[in-house]
Every structure is written in C-alpha cells, then in structure tokens.
Amino acid sequence: MAKFRENLITNCEKKFIIKNLEDHTRLDGRAFDEFRELSIDFGRDWGCCYVSLGKTRVLAQVSCEIQRPKSSRLSEGILSINVELNPLGASHFESGRNSELQVVMNRILEKCVKDSRAVDMESLCIKINEKVWAFRVDINILNHEGNLLDCASIALLAALAHFRRPDVSCDGEETIVHSYAERDAIRTVIHHYPVCITYALFKEGTVVLADPTLLEEGVADASLILGINSYKEVCTLHLGGKALMDPENILKCTSKAAHRASLLVTEIKTVLKQDDERRVQGQINSFQSFKHAQGTKSLDTLTKYLDQWSVQKRKRDSKRKNTENGTVQPLGKGSAVLLPVEDDGAKSWKPSSDENESDSCS
C-alpha cells in the first residue's frame, strides 16, 4: 500500500496565521483562551465512547479479560492504553506501525491516568497472585483536526467511567464469570478524572493559544500539555518544541487549565448520568442523537458563515457603488475632489471658490 505524504504548511500560510495573531484574531474566530465545542456520546456496548472536539473525533472502546497479575503488583489489576492512528483519521497515518506521535500520546496518557492512580487497580483483583482483571482501552482516531491528546484523554476517562465489568464468584479453585443477565455489572472505580489540556506557543512563549487546530499546531513553536484534575492537582506536564516559556506564563496556563478541567469533569459526569437514565428507561440511542446534533450544528455553522460573507459583501458593494457614482473635480495641481451624484443625475456638491483660490495660490 502506497504511503501518502503529510500535507506541509506553506510559508504563506505561516505568515498569514502569524499576521492574524498579531491582530489578536484566529482563523476560526475564537479568542486565544477559548476552546472548541465538545460533544460526548456513548454506544450500545459498555465502555464505548465517541468524543468530538471541534472537527477532531475519537472513538474509545474498553475491553476486559482475566489474566495473571504482574509479579511486582500481585494484588492489582492491569490497565493498558493503546492509541491507534489509522488512515481514517489522516491520510498519512499508517495502521500497524508505531509513529512518533503515537508513542508520545501513549506515554502522556499513561502518565496522566495510570501513574496518577486515577483508577483503583486493587478493585480489579479477583484472587491475589492468581487472577486479576486486565483492562484494555483502544483509542481510535477518526478525524485529525488538531489537539488529539485532549480529545483522546476525554474519551479515555469517559469510556472507563462508562464501562461495566462482569461480576465474578470463586468456588474453590473454580472462577465463575456471571453474565449481565445473571448479575448486575460492576462499575469501574475512579478516584479522580485527570484530563489533558493543550496550549500552543508562539513568539517564544509570549502568545499562547488554547485548543490549537491542526494548522496552528504546525505553525506553533512549541506546545504545553497539562494533565490536571478537577481538584487542581497537576498529574503530568509536557513541554514539547523549541520555545522557552516563563514560569509566570506556565502558572497562568495552569490556572486556566484547572478551570477547564473542572468544566470537563462536570460535563463527563453529566453525560454519564444522562446515559444511565436512558438505559433505565430502555432508550439506547447508539450515537443516533449525536449524529442528528452534528448535522444541525454543521448547518448552523454554514448559515453563520454565509451570513457573515453576505454582510461583508454588501459593505464592499456599497463602498464600490459610492466610489463609482460620482465625478472627480480637479482643484488645482495635484489635488481633486470626488463629487457624489444624486439619483436624478445632478451634482449635490460643488467645490467652493475658496478651495480653488487656495489651490491656485499654492
């Protein structure tokens, strides 16, 4: 299979973005500290989560099986995270081959969730030194439009919180795994929800953009990734690139990221509660409501851009019309005046004699 080349950012695009940043504007109209719209939806199966951050889309699925525990953690379960970059997300992604982006995303997510002890691993133990639950989270990138890590971390936590594992009973040496029909499924115990917040740095860290798009990531000098929970505890910090950043700016970004993390955790818990209520009533949408909402949002966005284009076009046409409907009257050497014309063709303005005399004297 032929490998597609990654789309490179031209010098004109870089200059255009930097010029807009100097004017304090972004291409999508957001403020520097404004994030894109977030949508979270769950599938029919437990642990299936679909997250959309702007046009970046990620699908996470949790699965489990019984394994032997690690020799260093005899009474704890196993949690493995696998980020899959396939050609569906971007044309230059290759499935089955680890890329630098994939390795970095795996490491940061493991530091943020596993090393911070967000999931209660001891609750996954069935029998010490013999059998434990092994959780595997597969994160598939469906569309890459920038800030993959934030979207993947939200999908990871939402999928783990949504997942239910089967109940287990031990009868001597025999372990019985009960089906969902026999016994109620068991929730995953999560102590806290650490989410990743990404900032793009421009002009040696003096300009900081929250939730960068794909184009902004390619132009940025560096990126600051903060893994933080709703209790304002920093679980991981990653500074990539070649730009320096003052400690004061890092503290400002951390404060903003803590507020953003609190909002994200509240959103995750709200969506989980709504999904539980729908399942109690027997209403399992399987992404149907999400698809309908996405279609409506796309139509509203298109209408907004068309309205803005129409207003700007009318302004340009009116300026052009005012310039064309008139005559140029010379006032002397090197000077002239534009005289507008009324609807009947008569001149509504006339140059005064003082202007002609002053121009002739000069």
Side-chain angles (χ1 to χ4, degrees):
M1 181 178 177
K3 178 182 177 181
F4 288 89
R5 182 180 300 176
E6 184 178 359
N7 294 330
L8 300 177
I9 300 176
T10 62
N11 293 329
C12 293
E13 290 175 329
K14 292 181 180 179
K15 293 179 181 178
F16 181 70
I17 292 177
I18 294 175
K19 178 64 177 177
N20 285 333
L21 294 180
E22 292 176 354
D23 298 335
H24 300 282
T25 57
R26 300 175 71 172
L27 296 183
D28 51 6
R30 290 182 293 151
F32 283 5
D33 57 350
E34 185 179 354
F35 294 83
R36 291 175 291 179
E37 188 173 359
L38 174 67
S39 297
I40 305 174
D41 201 1
F42 299 103
R44 183 177 297 273
D45 299 331
W46 292 113
C48 183
C49 181
Y50 186 52
V51 177
S52 172
L53 183 62
K55 293 184 179 180
T56 301
R57 291 171 172 82
V58 171
L59 177 66
Q61 177 64 60
V62 182
S63 58
C64 66
E65 62 178 355
I66 298 177
Q67 292 184 3
R68 192 172 183 86
K70 295 182 179 179
S71 58
S72 59
R73 304 285 183 178
L74 298 178
S75 61
E76 294 184 1
I78 301 172
L79 175 62
S80 59
I81 302 172
N82 178 41
V83 179
E84 184 68 26
L85 303 180
N86 50 63
L88 182 62
S91 58
H92 63 277
F93 288 162
E94 292 185 88
S95 59
R97 182 175 298 179
N98 291 336
S99 61
E100 182 180 359
L101 177 61
Q102 184 176 357
V103 173
V104 171
M105 288 184 63
N106 271 317
R107 288 179 178 176
I108 295 178
L109 289 176
E110 287 180 353
K111 288 181 180 179
C112 186
V113 178
K114 291 181 62 176
D115 296 350
S116 65
R117 312 293 292 179
V119 181
D120 187 4
M121 306 303 293
E122 292 185 356
S123 64
L124 304 180
C125 179
I126 300 174
K127 200 170 184 179
I128 297 178
N129 198 18
E130 290 188 10
K131 294 180 181 180
V132 296
W133 283 109
F135 281 10
R136 175 187 171 92
V137 186
D138 293 300
I139 302 174
N140 293 278
I141 309 301
L142 302 182
N143 191 39
H144 180 22
E145 281 297 333
N147 204 2
L148 282 178
L149 196 59
D150 290 21
C151 194
S153 67
I154 297 171
L156 169 62
L157 291 173
L160 285 173
H162 183 259
F163 183 68
R164 306 287 188 274
R165 70 177 186 272
D167 195 4
V168 177
S169 61
C170 296
D171 185 8
E173 296 295 332
E174 184 181 2
T175 302
I176 303 174
V177 180
H178 300 278
S179 63
Y180 293 142
E182 295 176 348
R183 291 189 182 181
D184 293 338
I186 302 176
R187 293 175 175 266
T188 305
V189 180
I190 299 179
H191 297 303
H192 61 98
Y193 292 77
V195 294
C196 293
I197 310 295
T198 303
Y199 293 93
L201 310 180
F202 295 84
K203 294 185 177 181
E204 298 182 356
T206 56
V207 179
V208 182
L209 299 185
D211 188 16
T213 61
L214 181 61
L215 195 58
E216 291 171 346
E217 286 181 347
V219 180
D221 298 330
S223 63
L224 175 65
I225 301 172
L226 291 164
I228 192 168
N229 57 21
S230 58
Y231 303 108
K232 298 183 180 181
E233 298 173 344
V234 178
C235 301
T236 182
L237 189 147
H238 178 78
L239 182 61
K242 51 187 177 181
L244 299 178
M245 193 172 185
D246 297 334
E248 183 179 354
N249 291 333
I250 295 179
L251 293 177
K252 290 181 180 179
C253 292
T254 305
S255 178
K256 294 179 181 179
H259 178 67
R260 170 66 175 175
S262 178
L263 297 177
L264 290 177
V265 173
T266 303
E267 178 70 17
I268 293 173
K269 292 181 179 179
T270 302
V271 177
L272 287 169
K273 184 178 179 181
Q274 293 175 355
D275 182 78
D276 291 339
E277 294 175 354
R278 287 195 298 265
R279 288 178 181 272
V280 170
Q281 299 174 0
Q283 300 175 0
I284 304 177
N285 53 15
S286 185
F287 306 140
Q288 292 298 325
S289 62
F290 181 81
K291 294 177 182 178
H292 176 71
Q294 285 297 314
T296 306
K297 293 173 186 174
S298 300
L299 182 60
D300 294 341
T301 304
L302 178 61
T303 305
K304 181 183 70 174
Y305 284 130
L306 288 176
D307 292 341
Q308 293 178 355
W309 177 79
S310 300
V311 171
Q312 294 175 359
K313 185 174 183 300
R314 285 197 297 269
K315 289 182 179 179
R316 291 195 300 267
D317 293 343
S318 62
K319 290 181 180 179
R320 190 181 299 110
K321 184 177 180 180
N322 293 334
T323 305
E324 293 175 355
N325 295 340
T327 58
V328 178
Q329 179 69 34
L331 297 179
K333 293 183 179 181
S335 62
V337 62
L338 177 64
L339 301 179
V341 180
E342 295 182 349
D343 296 338
D344 55 357
K347 296 180 180 179
S348 58
W349 296 85
K350 293 182 180 180
S352 62
S353 58
D354 297 338
E355 293 177 348
N356 291 329
E357 291 177 0
S358 62
D359 292 335
S360 61
C361 291
S362 60

